[in-house]
């Protein structure tokens, strides 16, 4: 189990980043009704795809306020 413990300093920040980005994307998706591309269901599903889903939402889906 030593191998798993060695990766914790790398994994913990990634997990925090993943949860933070997903939460921010979901909050924004559920509060807004218009998107550049796609619809609400598409972006909710996409936001759960690792780190790339929320990043894609903020780049391609988020409507400029």
């Amino acid at each position: 189990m030593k191998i798993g413990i060695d990766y914790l300093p790398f994994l913990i920040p990634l997990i925090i980043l993943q949860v933070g980005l997903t939460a921010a994307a979901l909050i924004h998706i559920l509060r807004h009704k218009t998107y550049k591309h796609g619809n609400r269901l598409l972006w909710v599903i996409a936001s759960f795809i690792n780190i790339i889903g929320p990043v894609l939402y903020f780049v391609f889906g988020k409507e400029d306020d």
Side-chain angles (χ1 to χ4, degrees):
M1 198 63 174
K2 177 98 168 99
I3 294 173
I5 293 173
D6 291 340
Y7 290 113
L8 279 180
F10 178 72
L11 291 177
I12 290 174
L14 286 179
I15 292 169
I16 292 170
L17 178 66
Q18 170 66 39
V19 170
L21 280 174
T22 301
L26 285 173
I27 289 169
H28 194 274
I29 290 166
L30 296 175
R31 287 188 179 171
H32 293 84
K33 296 181 184 193
T34 58
Y35 311 97
K36 286 187 210 174
H37 304 285
N39 58 26
R40 182 174 285 172
L41 179 62
L42 168 77
W43 291 117
V44 167
I45 293 169
S47 67
F48 287 104
I49 301 173
N50 287 330
I51 292 176
I52 195 72
V55 171
L56 287 175
Y57 170 71
F58 286 118
V59 172
F60 294 112
K62 182 177 179 248
E63 183 74 31
D64 296 330
D65 293 330

